[in-house]
Amino acid sequence: LRAHTGKDDDELAAGIYRDFIGRLERAYDTLEILPQNNAARLFSALRERNILTVLNTGYARHTAEQILHKLGWNQGVEFDGLVTATEVDKNRPDPDMIRYAMQQFGIANSENVMKVGDSAIDIEEGRNAGCLLSIGITTGAHTYEQLKAAGPDHIIHDLMELLPIIDSVNSD
């Protein structure tokens, strides 16, 4: 690589990442951002059940907060917490973000946590953290087939499909 670019791998990777983040932030400045279908209904239903909702993302905190601001979502209102790649040493599929969230909310046992995500790496993160359930949702990055290959406990097509799963677990 050095022969072609005059830079070592780390220097080149850092430059590519900086360029990507700049482009991403400019895109989120101008693009319309819409919430996941039924997100507000789910957040409300979870709050009624006294279930915490913690969002986690591989994005940096600034980018995640930019998105949440555009959605009009506020911590303590629509959701309880936010953990981003900025707060942890390792990103997905390592369990650092889930473990950090657990620490923030005093959750000692990962079997009291469910992970919901739209990619195979989300499913792996939940498994690696020892979550009770790792659930894929088909409304994002990966298809049903891609999610299934990651071995989730459930695959859903709409956020409201989580409620019967949660209610079933809570009745056991």
Side-chain angles (χ1 to χ4, degrees), residues 57-120:
T57 179
Y59 288 152
R61 178 160 284 276
H62 173 75
T63 304
E65 288 175 344
Q66 184 181 18
I67 293 167
L68 292 169
H69 177 75
K70 285 189 92 170
L71 289 171
W73 291 359
N74 297 292
Q75 187 168 328
V77 179
E78 284 79 17
F79 63 96
D80 298 293
L82 170 66
V83 177
T84 71
T86 308
E87 282 90 41
V88 297
D89 290 332
K90 295 179 185 172
N91 206 336
R92 296 182 186 120
D94 286 294
D96 289 11
M97 284 192 286
I98 292 173
R99 290 184 179 152
Y100 183 79
M102 290 172 60
Q103 290 172 348
Q104 298 300 304
F105 289 94
I107 300 168
N109 186 347
S110 61
E111 289 190 10
N112 292 322
V113 177
M114 290 183 182
K115 168 66 183 182
V116 179
D118 66 358
S119 69

